[in-house]
Amino acid sequence: MSSFVHDFPFDPSCGRTLDDLTALPAPLAPDGFADFWRARYEAAREVATEPEIGPLEDERDGVRIHRVTFASVGGVRLGGWLALPSDGAARHGFVIGHGYGGRQEPGPDVPLPLPAAAAILPCVRGMGARGPVPGIPDVADAHVLHGIESRESYVIGDCVADLWCAASALRELVPELAEAGPLGYLGESFGGGLGALALPWDDRFGAAQLTVPTFGNHPLRLTLPCTGSGESVRGYHREHPEVTEVLRYFDAATAAGFLELPTLVAAALFDPAVPPPGQFAVHNALAGERELLVLSAGHFEHAGTAAETAGLVAARQRFFGEWLGH
């Protein structure tokens, strides 16, 4: 089924056609799934995030970009970037998640999807230039296993909470957003999976866009080789099959079944890092208005990459304009 010449020792299309992929279901939610996540959300909302804006670092594409720091669950203080409109008050707000390579700078997440928008671009705990935390690995293959022995200790749950706390920090730093309507969320790969886990429980958001989201359909992912963090989880699972029960609570496709926000998913037919079946399972399970943008490839440079990226940017602008523009 592969549509690209490659030297991977496996098929990054996983032998699935588009029809196969759009028919994939999500795993059933384990007992207490929603209660588990609602309790974590409530705990995150109790955090006094005490955000602080640093000096101006850049100004481009209609925004001024500052360093920002904020507190999250467990007494951790994290950093990132805050983008504010160059002129006038913010009329829209976004939380923007990052991939499992971390975030070293705002990069292609600016310009923002809508004009007159503010955004927080956090580094979740352990990841990126402004997310280091003692004791948490900063490399994806090790980070994804940190605390995986139980659902209470698994780092992914705290990374989801970091996004909730980032949203709290954004609304505190840009108070006009409280009257501007709901926030938007953007996340790619790791950030897409975290978004699917975070958004069903948070009524501050009004729309989301998830690009090649990870963590979808863990039972199937465990059978699919890849080059991403999923391969590390597969290796751990071989030695500790009981981890399957923990992963059930961190399945982005299962969570998508509770996600009623309008959501645009960009999912790839060929992806060596995040197996396509997991990506499509997230889209297929969405409980609300949903839109699918099919990419020919993810995590893989090819002749059409620039055109597909431009198409995704245009689709994102249109989508958020439709659901959040006013």
Side-chain angles (χ1 to χ4, degrees):
M1 296 294 180
S2 296
S3 55
F4 297 97
V5 175
H6 65 87
D7 57 3
F8 300 108
F10 58 88
D11 176 7
S13 71
C14 302
R16 265 75 167 188
T17 66
L18 179 58
D19 286 344
D20 295 332
L21 292 166
T22 54
L24 285 168
L28 294 176
D31 291 343
F33 182 87
D35 291 342
F36 171 76
W37 282 109
R38 289 191 179 107
R40 296 197 78 140
Y41 172 67
E42 290 167 6
R45 289 299 304 272
E46 292 295 319
V47 172
T49 57
E50 300 177 340
E52 296 181 1
I53 302 178
L56 180 70
E57 294 190 354
D58 195 7
E59 184 165 3
R60 61 183 174 91
D61 300 307
V63 293
R64 294 176 286 112
I65 300 171
H66 295 257
R67 182 188 182 98
V68 68
T69 62
F70 63 96
S72 186
V73 298
V76 168
R77 192 159 187 88
L78 300 169
W81 289 263
L82 179 72
L84 299 170
S86 293
D87 297 301
R91 300 200 305 271
H92 310 285
F94 291 93
V95 176
I96 304 178
H98 59 73
Y100 229 155
R103 171 181 277 139
Q104 308 306 317
E105 58 183 22
D109 291 319
V110 176
L112 302 178
L114 295 176
I120 190 166
L121 299 88
C123 293
V124 300
R125 65 189 60 209
M127 300 303 297
R130 296 178 178 177
V133 172
I136 299 180
D138 61 0
V139 177
D141 288 353
H143 184 277
V144 77
L145 299 182
H146 187 70
I148 201 171
E149 298 81 10
S150 78
R151 67 177 190 171
E152 287 74 24
S153 63
Y154 194 20
V155 72
I156 300 305
D158 287 336
C159 289
V160 170
D162 295 338
L163 295 180
W164 291 326
C165 290
S168 299
L170 175 65
R171 292 185 66 173
E172 183 172 342
L173 291 170
V174 192
E176 62 264 33
L177 291 178
E179 305 298 326
L183 301 173
Y185 179 82
L186 290 87
E188 182 170 352
S189 192
F190 177 59
L194 293 183
L197 292 166
L199 293 169
W201 330 107
D202 194 336
D203 62 5
R204 296 173 295 177
F205 289 86
Q209 197 264 298
L210 311 177
T211 302
V212 294
T214 191
F215 304 139
N217 200 326
H218 278 301
L220 183 54
R221 277 168 55 87
L222 288 170
T223 71
L224 301 172
C226 67
T227 63
S229 64
E231 194 62 25
S232 184
V233 175
R234 276 165 40 86
Y236 185 89
H237 174 261
R238 284 193 290 271
E239 300 295 326
H240 306 277
E242 67 277 7
V243 78
T244 301
E245 287 304 308
V246 176
L247 293 173
R248 294 182 70 197
Y249 289 88
F250 298 90
D251 196 304
T254 301
F258 296 85
L259 179 49
E260 298 180 351
L261 302 181
T263 303
L264 167 63
V265 174
L269 298 172
F270 176 103
D271 193 323
V274 178
Q279 300 178 30
F280 279 84
V282 172
H283 167 266
N284 301 344
L286 289 166
E289 293 279 348
R290 64 188 188 186
E291 182 176 334
L292 176 64
L293 178 65
V294 178
L295 305 176
S296 61
H299 299 93
F300 183 79
E301 291 292 325
H302 58 95
T305 295
E308 288 203 332
T309 299
L312 176 57
V313 169
R316 177 184 295 150
Q317 292 171 340
R318 174 194 50 75
F319 176 79
F320 282 114
E322 176 181 351
W323 291 106
L324 298 183
H326 56 269

